PDB file of all heavy atoms in Angstrom:
ATOM      1  N   MET A   4       5.234  19.484   6.909  1.00  0.00           N
ATOM      2  CA  MET A   4       5.317  18.207   6.220  1.00  0.00           C
ATOM      3  C   MET A   4       4.233  18.090   5.159  1.00  0.00           C
ATOM      4  O   MET A   4       3.110  18.504   5.348  1.00  0.00           O
ATOM      5  CB  MET A   4       5.248  17.044   7.216  1.00  0.00           C
ATOM      6  CG  MET A   4       3.913  16.851   7.891  1.00  0.00           C
ATOM      7  SD  MET A   4       3.215  15.204   7.627  1.00  0.00           S
ATOM      8  CE  MET A   4       1.520  15.535   8.112  1.00  0.00           C
ATOM      9  N   ARG A   5       4.602  17.541   4.024  1.00  0.00           N
ATOM     10  CA  ARG A   5       3.663  17.411   2.916  1.00  0.00           C
ATOM     11  C   ARG A   5       3.435  15.935   2.593  1.00  0.00           C
ATOM     12  O   ARG A   5       4.381  15.189   2.402  1.00  0.00           O
ATOM     13  CB  ARG A   5       4.199  18.151   1.692  1.00  0.00           C
ATOM     14  CG  ARG A   5       4.204  19.667   1.922  1.00  0.00           C
ATOM     15  CD  ARG A   5       4.939  20.405   0.846  1.00  0.00           C
ATOM     16  NE  ARG A   5       4.243  20.365  -0.441  1.00  0.00           N
ATOM     17  CZ  ARG A   5       4.648  21.052  -1.511  1.00  0.00           C
ATOM     18  NH1 ARG A   5       5.732  21.805  -1.444  1.00  0.00           N
ATOM     19  NH2 ARG A   5       3.969  20.970  -2.643  1.00  0.00           N
ATOM     20  N   VAL A   6       2.156  15.566   2.553  1.00  0.00           N
ATOM     21  CA  VAL A   6       1.779  14.194   2.284  1.00  0.00           C
ATOM     22  C   VAL A   6       1.249  14.099   0.864  1.00  0.00           C
ATOM     23  O   VAL A   6       0.353  14.863   0.482  1.00  0.00           O
ATOM     24  CB  VAL A   6       0.685  13.710   3.260  1.00  0.00           C
ATOM     25  CG1 VAL A   6       0.470  12.212   3.093  1.00  0.00           C
ATOM     26  CG2 VAL A   6       1.043  14.054   4.686  1.00  0.00           C
ATOM     27  N   GLY A   7       1.795  13.179   0.076  1.00  0.00           N
ATOM     28  CA  GLY A   7       1.346  13.020  -1.304  1.00  0.00           C
ATOM     29  C   GLY A   7       0.605  11.712  -1.506  1.00  0.00           C
ATOM     30  O   GLY A   7       0.817  10.741  -0.786  1.00  0.00           O
ATOM     31  N   VAL A   8      -0.291  11.723  -2.479  1.00  0.00           N
ATOM     32  CA  VAL A   8      -0.945  10.488  -2.921  1.00  0.00           C
ATOM     33  C   VAL A   8      -0.698  10.370  -4.416  1.00  0.00           C
ATOM     34  O   VAL A   8      -1.043  11.283  -5.174  1.00  0.00           O
ATOM     35  CB  VAL A   8      -2.469  10.512  -2.658  1.00  0.00           C
ATOM     36  CG1 VAL A   8      -3.091   9.178  -3.076  1.00  0.00           C
ATOM     37  CG2 VAL A   8      -2.773  10.796  -1.197  1.00  0.00           C
ATOM     38  N   LEU A   9      -0.063   9.283  -4.833  1.00  0.00           N
ATOM     39  CA  LEU A   9       0.175   9.091  -6.262  1.00  0.00           C
ATOM     40  C   LEU A   9      -1.182   9.050  -6.974  1.00  0.00           C
ATOM     41  O   LEU A   9      -2.043   8.228  -6.658  1.00  0.00           O
ATOM     42  CB  LEU A   9       0.940   7.788  -6.503  1.00  0.00           C
ATOM     43  CG  LEU A   9       1.412   7.585  -7.946  1.00  0.00           C
ATOM     44  CD1 LEU A   9       2.512   8.595  -8.305  1.00  0.00           C
ATOM     45  CD2 LEU A   9       1.923   6.159  -8.155  1.00  0.00           C
ATOM     46  N   ALA A  10      -1.383   9.972  -7.904  1.00  0.00           N
ATOM     47  CA  ALA A  10      -2.719  10.193  -8.459  1.00  0.00           C
ATOM     48  C   ALA A  10      -2.745   9.985  -9.973  1.00  0.00           C
ATOM     49  O   ALA A  10      -3.432  10.678 -10.702  1.00  0.00           O
ATOM     50  CB  ALA A  10      -3.205  11.604  -8.097  1.00  0.00           C
ATOM     51  N   LEU A  11      -1.982   8.996 -10.424  1.00  0.00           N
ATOM     52  CA  LEU A  11      -1.968   8.697 -11.863  1.00  0.00           C
ATOM     53  C   LEU A  11      -3.186   7.879 -12.248  1.00  0.00           C
ATOM     54  O   LEU A  11      -3.657   7.935 -13.378  1.00  0.00           O
ATOM     55  CB  LEU A  11      -0.705   7.902 -12.210  1.00  0.00           C
ATOM     56  CG  LEU A  11       0.622   8.591 -11.915  1.00  0.00           C
ATOM     57  CD1 LEU A  11       1.775   7.639 -12.172  1.00  0.00           C
ATOM     58  CD2 LEU A  11       0.754   9.843 -12.777  1.00  0.00           C
ATOM     59  N   GLN A  12      -3.703   7.105 -11.296  1.00  0.00           N
ATOM     60  CA  GLN A  12      -4.722   6.112 -11.601  1.00  0.00           C
ATOM     61  C   GLN A  12      -5.171   5.517 -10.276  1.00  0.00           C
ATOM     62  O   GLN A  12      -4.442   5.577  -9.298  1.00  0.00           O
ATOM     63  CB  GLN A  12      -4.088   5.028 -12.489  1.00  0.00           C
ATOM     64  CG  GLN A  12      -5.006   4.063 -13.178  1.00  0.00           C
ATOM     65  CD  GLN A  12      -5.149   2.777 -12.393  1.00  0.00           C
ATOM     66  OE1 GLN A  12      -4.343   2.476 -11.524  1.00  0.00           O
ATOM     67  NE2 GLN A  12      -6.193   2.023 -12.687  1.00  0.00           N
ATOM     68  N   GLY A  13      -6.381   4.958 -10.231  1.00  0.00           N
ATOM     69  CA  GLY A  13      -6.796   4.221  -9.045  1.00  0.00           C
ATOM     70  C   GLY A  13      -7.526   5.078  -8.025  1.00  0.00           C
ATOM     71  O   GLY A  13      -7.961   6.184  -8.325  1.00  0.00           O
ATOM     72  N   ASP A  14      -7.635   4.549  -6.786  1.00  0.00           N
ATOM     73  CA  ASP A  14      -8.545   5.174  -5.812  1.00  0.00           C
ATOM     74  C   ASP A  14      -7.823   6.192  -4.924  1.00  0.00           C
ATOM     75  O   ASP A  14      -7.992   6.225  -3.724  1.00  0.00           O
ATOM     76  CB  ASP A  14      -9.282   4.102  -5.003  1.00  0.00           C
ATOM     77  CG  ASP A  14      -8.483   3.573  -3.822  1.00  0.00           C
ATOM     78  OD1 ASP A  14      -7.246   3.493  -3.938  1.00  0.00           O
ATOM     79  OD2 ASP A  14      -9.101   3.240  -2.805  1.00  0.00           O
ATOM     80  N   TRP A  15      -7.068   7.064  -5.557  1.00  0.00           N
ATOM     81  CA  TRP A  15      -6.289   8.041  -4.784  1.00  0.00           C
ATOM     82  C   TRP A  15      -7.161   9.029  -4.022  1.00  0.00           C
ATOM     83  O   TRP A  15      -6.795   9.492  -2.942  1.00  0.00           O
ATOM     84  CB  TRP A  15      -5.298   8.774  -5.694  1.00  0.00           C
ATOM     85  CG  TRP A  15      -5.918   9.609  -6.762  1.00  0.00           C
ATOM     86  CD1 TRP A  15      -6.278   9.207  -8.015  1.00  0.00           C
ATOM     87  CD2 TRP A  15      -6.254  10.996  -6.668  1.00  0.00           C
ATOM     88  NE1 TRP A  15      -6.818  10.252  -8.705  1.00  0.00           N
ATOM     89  CE2 TRP A  15      -6.811  11.369  -7.899  1.00  0.00           C
ATOM     90  CE3 TRP A  15      -6.133  11.968  -5.660  1.00  0.00           C
ATOM     91  CZ2 TRP A  15      -7.265  12.674  -8.152  1.00  0.00           C
ATOM     92  CZ3 TRP A  15      -6.566  13.254  -5.905  1.00  0.00           C
ATOM     93  CH2 TRP A  15      -7.128  13.594  -7.134  1.00  0.00           C
ATOM     94  N   GLN A  16      -8.361   9.332  -4.566  1.00  0.00           N
ATOM     95  CA  GLN A  16      -9.215  10.307  -3.857  1.00  0.00           C
ATOM     96  C   GLN A  16      -9.700   9.760  -2.518  1.00  0.00           C
ATOM     97  O   GLN A  16      -9.792  10.494  -1.531  1.00  0.00           O
ATOM     98  CB  GLN A  16     -10.399  10.702  -4.729  1.00  0.00           C
ATOM     99  CG  GLN A  16      -9.988  11.726  -5.774  1.00  0.00           C
ATOM    100  CD  GLN A  16     -11.003  11.872  -6.893  1.00  0.00           C
ATOM    101  OE1 GLN A  16     -11.491  10.872  -7.431  1.00  0.00           O
ATOM    102  NE2 GLN A  16     -11.318  13.102  -7.228  1.00  0.00           N
ATOM    103  N   ALA A  17     -10.008   8.450  -2.482  1.00  0.00           N
ATOM    104  CA  ALA A  17     -10.428   7.835  -1.217  1.00  0.00           C
ATOM    105  C   ALA A  17      -9.298   7.921  -0.193  1.00  0.00           C
ATOM    106  O   ALA A  17      -9.535   8.150   0.995  1.00  0.00           O
ATOM    107  CB  ALA A  17     -10.834   6.379  -1.453  1.00  0.00           C
ATOM    108  N   HIS A  18      -8.059   7.766  -0.659  1.00  0.00           N
ATOM    109  CA  HIS A  18      -6.914   7.893   0.252  1.00  0.00           C
ATOM    110  C   HIS A  18      -6.780   9.318   0.772  1.00  0.00           C
ATOM    111  O   HIS A  18      -6.522   9.538   1.954  1.00  0.00           O
ATOM    112  CB  HIS A  18      -5.625   7.488  -0.456  1.00  0.00           C
ATOM    113  CG  HIS A  18      -5.316   6.049  -0.323  1.00  0.00           C
ATOM    114  ND1 HIS A  18      -4.893   5.475   0.851  1.00  0.00           N
ATOM    115  CD2 HIS A  18      -5.377   5.041  -1.216  1.00  0.00           C
ATOM    116  CE1 HIS A  18      -4.703   4.181   0.675  1.00  0.00           C
ATOM    117  NE2 HIS A  18      -4.993   3.893  -0.577  1.00  0.00           N
ATOM    118  N   ALA A  19      -6.931  10.279  -0.131  1.00  0.00           N
ATOM    119  CA  ALA A  19      -6.814  11.679   0.296  1.00  0.00           C
ATOM    120  C   ALA A  19      -7.879  11.991   1.346  1.00  0.00           C
ATOM    121  O   ALA A  19      -7.600  12.637   2.369  1.00  0.00           O
ATOM    122  CB  ALA A  19      -6.933  12.603  -0.915  1.00  0.00           C
ATOM    123  N   ALA A  20      -9.091  11.484   1.137  1.00  0.00           N
ATOM    124  CA  ALA A  20     -10.173  11.740   2.099  1.00  0.00           C
ATOM    125  C   ALA A  20      -9.878  11.058   3.434  1.00  0.00           C
ATOM    126  O   ALA A  20     -10.077  11.654   4.499  1.00  0.00           O
ATOM    127  CB  ALA A  20     -11.493  11.238   1.516  1.00  0.00           C
ATOM    128  N   ALA A  21      -9.394   9.818   3.386  1.00  0.00           N
ATOM    129  CA  ALA A  21      -9.105   9.093   4.628  1.00  0.00           C
ATOM    130  C   ALA A  21      -7.971   9.773   5.406  1.00  0.00           C
ATOM    131  O   ALA A  21      -8.012   9.858   6.631  1.00  0.00           O
ATOM    132  CB  ALA A  21      -8.737   7.647   4.316  1.00  0.00           C
ATOM    133  N   LEU A  22      -6.966  10.267   4.692  1.00  0.00           N
ATOM    134  CA  LEU A  22      -5.866  10.968   5.367  1.00  0.00           C
ATOM    135  C   LEU A  22      -6.369  12.256   5.998  1.00  0.00           C
ATOM    136  O   LEU A  22      -5.972  12.606   7.114  1.00  0.00           O
ATOM    137  CB  LEU A  22      -4.740  11.269   4.375  1.00  0.00           C
ATOM    138  CG  LEU A  22      -3.901  10.056   3.979  1.00  0.00           C
ATOM    139  CD1 LEU A  22      -3.020  10.388   2.785  1.00  0.00           C
ATOM    140  CD2 LEU A  22      -3.050   9.578   5.152  1.00  0.00           C
ATOM    141  N   ALA A  23      -7.243  12.951   5.299  1.00  0.00           N
ATOM    142  CA  ALA A  23      -7.799  14.191   5.858  1.00  0.00           C
ATOM    143  C   ALA A  23      -8.561  13.884   7.145  1.00  0.00           C
ATOM    144  O   ALA A  23      -8.424  14.594   8.152  1.00  0.00           O
ATOM    145  CB  ALA A  23      -8.706  14.872   4.828  1.00  0.00           C
ATOM    146  N   ARG A  24      -9.337  12.785   7.146  1.00  0.00           N
ATOM    147  CA  ARG A  24     -10.063  12.382   8.362  1.00  0.00           C
ATOM    148  C   ARG A  24      -9.094  12.068   9.496  1.00  0.00           C
ATOM    149  O   ARG A  24      -9.386  12.293  10.660  1.00  0.00           O
ATOM    150  CB  ARG A  24     -10.936  11.146   8.100  1.00  0.00           C
ATOM    151  CG  ARG A  24     -12.149  11.396   7.230  1.00  0.00           C
ATOM    152  CD  ARG A  24     -13.168  10.245   7.353  1.00  0.00           C
ATOM    153  NE  ARG A  24     -12.653   8.956   6.912  1.00  0.00           N
ATOM    154  CZ  ARG A  24     -12.675   8.529   5.644  1.00  0.00           C
ATOM    155  NH1 ARG A  24     -13.172   9.287   4.700  1.00  0.00           N
ATOM    156  NH2 ARG A  24     -12.211   7.334   5.343  1.00  0.00           N
ATOM    157  N   ALA A  25      -7.932  11.530   9.157  1.00  0.00           N
ATOM    158  CA  ALA A  25      -6.945  11.167  10.174  1.00  0.00           C
ATOM    159  C   ALA A  25      -6.047  12.353  10.548  1.00  0.00           C
ATOM    160  O   ALA A  25      -5.118  12.206  11.345  1.00  0.00           O
ATOM    161  CB  ALA A  25      -6.098  10.000   9.679  1.00  0.00           C
ATOM    162  N   GLY A  26      -6.290  13.502   9.963  1.00  0.00           N
ATOM    163  CA  GLY A  26      -5.564  14.698  10.350  1.00  0.00           C
ATOM    164  C   GLY A  26      -4.383  15.057   9.467  1.00  0.00           C
ATOM    165  O   GLY A  26      -3.539  15.872   9.844  1.00  0.00           O
ATOM    166  N   GLY A  27      -4.294  14.476   8.270  1.00  0.00           N
ATOM    167  CA  GLY A  27      -3.165  14.788   7.396  1.00  0.00           C
ATOM    168  C   GLY A  27      -3.630  15.154   5.996  1.00  0.00           C
ATOM    169  O   GLY A  27      -3.878  14.267   5.188  1.00  0.00           O
ATOM    170  N   ALA A  28      -3.761  16.437   5.717  1.00  0.00           N
ATOM    171  CA  ALA A  28      -4.195  16.866   4.380  1.00  0.00           C
ATOM    172  C   ALA A  28      -3.183  16.399   3.347  1.00  0.00           C
ATOM    173  O   ALA A  28      -1.981  16.560   3.531  1.00  0.00           O
ATOM    174  CB  ALA A  28      -4.338  18.379   4.338  1.00  0.00           C
ATOM    175  N   ALA A  29      -3.656  15.795   2.267  1.00  0.00           N
ATOM    176  CA  ALA A  29      -2.760  15.225   1.263  1.00  0.00           C
ATOM    177  C   ALA A  29      -2.928  15.924  -0.078  1.00  0.00           C
ATOM    178  O   ALA A  29      -3.972  16.493  -0.374  1.00  0.00           O
ATOM    179  CB  ALA A  29      -3.040  13.737   1.106  1.00  0.00           C
ATOM    180  N   GLU A  30      -1.867  15.870  -0.874  1.00  0.00           N
ATOM    181  CA  GLU A  30      -1.908  16.482  -2.201  1.00  0.00           C
ATOM    182  C   GLU A  30      -1.666  15.412  -3.266  1.00  0.00           C
ATOM    183  O   GLU A  30      -0.906  14.466  -3.037  1.00  0.00           O
ATOM    184  CB  GLU A  30      -0.861  17.593  -2.309  1.00  0.00           C
ATOM    185  CG  GLU A  30       0.536  17.171  -1.900  1.00  0.00           C
ATOM    186  CD  GLU A  30       1.470  18.383  -1.715  1.00  0.00           C
ATOM    187  OE1 GLU A  30       1.980  18.854  -2.731  1.00  0.00           O
ATOM    188  OE2 GLU A  30       1.657  18.814  -0.563  1.00  0.00           O
TER     189      GLU A  30
END
Side-chain angles (χ1 to χ4, degrees):
M4 69 122 196
R5 292 170 69 174
V6 189
V8 183
L9 188 68
L11 300 174
Q12 193 264 342
D14 83 326
W15 64 272
Q16 281 164 314
H18 270 288
L22 286 168
R24 289 197 298 274
E30 52 193 278

